[in-house]
Amino acid sequence: MDSIIFDLDGTLWNPIDTVLSAWNSILKEHPIVQRELASEDFSQTMGLQIQEIGRLLFPSLADEEREQLLKECCALENEHLGNNGGELYDDIEIVLKALSEKYKLFIVSNCQDGYIEAFYKYHGLDPYIIDYENPGRTGLSKGENIQLIMERNDLCSPVYVGDTDGDREAAKFAGIPFVFARYGFGNAAAYDHEIRKFSDLLELF
C-alpha cells in the first residue's frame, strides 16, 4: 500500500449544521420551495452528487429552477464552510499527520467545486493532502475521479476510506480496497476493512 484516498463528508468531518444554515438562508428567498430543510434531509443525501441531491430534496421543481437554486445554495454553502467550518471527527489532524509520514494522502468527494477548498480554508489540513478531486471540477463519477487521482499521481496500491455504499462501489470501480468508516452517515454492503473511529486507521495501517 502506497497511499490512502479519503471521502470527505462522514469520513473526515460532519458539515451538516453549517450547510443547513446556508441552504435555509437561500430557501427563504425562494417561496416557490416552501420548505425548510432539517439535518435528516442532508443525512440521506451524503455521498450523492449535487444533481441527485437536488432531485431528492426538490422533486417538484422544474430542471431550470432546480439548477439555479442549487447554484445559489452551493455558492453560499462554500462561503459559510470557508468561514465557519464543520465538525471534524476526533483526532483528524493527529491521524492525518501520522499517516502522511508513511503514505501519500488524497481526497475524492462527490461535492461541488470549491467545497474541498472551503474545508482546507477553515481547518487548515491541506498540508497533509497531496491532491484532491470532485465531480464539480471534472464531471466524472467518484470511481472515475479515484482513477484520475491514481493516474495523475502514479499510485500503485491505494485504499479508499469512506462511509457509504456508494463509496464501496466507487472503490470497486477503481479496483482498490475499501475501508468502511462505520461512524459516518451511511452503510456498506461489504468492505475489506472497517474502522469505528478515525484513529483506528493508525492500527490498521
Side-chain angles (χ1 to χ4, degrees), residues 21-202:
S21 174
W23 282 53
N24 282 328
S25 293
I26 295 296
L27 294 185
K28 290 177 182 178
E29 302 173 4
H30 288 266
I32 190 173
V33 178
Q34 295 186 336
R35 68 169 300 190
E36 183 173 88
L37 297 173
S39 59
E40 293 77 14
D41 295 309
F42 275 105
S43 294
Q44 64 179 326
T45 68
M46 289 299 167
L48 301 180
Q49 291 197 19
I50 190 63
Q51 294 83 4
E52 298 173 291
I53 293 173
R55 288 191 292 270
L56 185 63
L57 296 180
F58 313 114
S60 63
L61 295 184
D63 290 345
E64 185 175 337
E65 292 174 327
R66 186 186 302 116
E67 182 178 349
Q68 178 58 35
L69 178 62
L70 292 173
K71 183 178 179 180
E72 294 178 30
C73 286
C74 288
L76 189 61
E77 172 181 306
N78 287 349
E79 180 182 335
H80 276 216
L81 287 170
N83 293 331
N84 302 289
E87 179 188 351
L88 291 179
Y89 292 118
D90 291 343
D91 301 320
I92 289 292
E93 184 165 11
I94 293 171
V95 175
L96 288 180
K97 184 178 186 300
L99 290 174
S100 69
E101 294 170 356
K102 298 170 62 179
Y103 306 103
K104 298 176 181 179
L105 306 183
F106 305 88
I107 293 176
V108 172
S109 174
N110 267 349
C111 58
Q112 70 271 14
D113 191 20
Y115 186 91
I116 297 175
E117 293 88 337
F119 168 75
Y120 286 162
K121 177 184 175 183
Y122 188 83
H123 294 290
L125 297 175
D126 46 307
Y128 308 114
I129 309 296
I130 292 174
D131 195 4
Y132 64 94
E133 203 50 88
N134 60 72
R137 297 203 305 184
T138 66
L140 301 175
S141 70
K142 181 171 279 189
E144 291 169 323
N145 279 324
I146 292 174
Q147 288 185 327
L148 181 60
I149 284 287
M150 292 168 62
E151 293 166 4
R152 197 157 69 201
N153 295 278
D154 297 319
L155 305 183
C156 297
S157 55
V159 300
Y160 188 71
V161 182
D163 67 308
T164 69
D165 203 54
D167 292 332
R168 176 193 63 81
E169 292 175 351
K172 182 179 179 180
F173 179 92
I176 62 175
F178 173 58
V179 179
F180 175 47
R182 186 168 291 281
Y183 56 82
F185 296 120
N187 293 295
Y191 45 84
D192 297 286
H193 304 283
E194 174 190 23
I195 56 174
R196 293 182 176 273
K197 57 184 184 299
F198 194 70
S199 59
D200 287 347
L201 289 173
L202 295 178

